[in-house]
Amino acid sequence: MTLEFVNEYIEDKIRNSEDIVIFSFFELRIKCNLTEEDTNKFLELAKNKFENMHYQVYFTGAKYTYKGLTTTVPDNELMVAVKEEMAD
């Protein structure tokens, strides 16, 4: 897994849904075939990138609010990034 892979994967996810980006266990470990170590590194790099892009980042078990609905990140999702609302 390279930094280029992480950046391209994140950019692709943002193109599909800019306001909320979700990474599931299945997606990273099975579909992308990442090891546990690579998955942890991916999540760490992704967290930094999303925070720099003004997203709030949540991991499995954390509560977050999106469009007025409070939700808990389920066990099968590793990370959720929610775009911060910018004040006009």
Side-chain angles (χ1 to χ4, degrees), residues 73-88:
V73 180
D75 291 340
N76 65 333
E77 293 176 1
L78 300 176
M79 186 175 86
V80 175
V82 179
K83 182 98 170 149
E84 293 177 3
E85 293 183 27
M86 298 297 190
D88 292 330

Side-chain angles (χ1 to χ4, degrees), residues 20-23 56-59 64 73 77-82:
I20 186 168
V21 181
I22 299 170
F23 295 99
Q56 291 292 318
V57 178
Y58 306 92
F59 294 98
Y64 67 95
V73 180
E77 293 176 1
L78 300 176
M79 186 175 86
V80 175
V82 179

Side-chain angles (χ1 to χ4, degrees), residues 17-80:
S17 174
E18 184 178 0
D19 293 336
I20 186 168
V21 181
I22 299 170
F23 295 99
S24 71
F25 177 88
F26 177 82
E27 173 183 8
L28 296 179
R29 292 295 302 273
I30 309 301
K31 187 176 168 189
C32 294
N33 197 31
L34 297 181
T35 64
E36 184 175 352
E37 182 179 336
D38 282 344
T39 300
N40 290 336
K41 186 159 183 91
F42 178 95
L43 293 172
E44 180 182 329
L45 293 169
K47 178 181 184 288
N48 289 336
K49 183 172 179 77
F50 279 115
E51 287 176 343
N52 288 334
M53 296 171 61
H54 304 287
Y55 281 77
Q56 291 292 318
V57 178
Y58 306 92
F59 294 98
T60 306
K63 291 188 184 299
Y64 67 95
T65 302
Y66 177 65
K67 293 190 175 181
L69 180 65
T70 300
T71 307
T72 301
V73 180
D75 291 340
N76 65 333
E77 293 176 1
L78 300 176
M79 186 175 86
V80 175

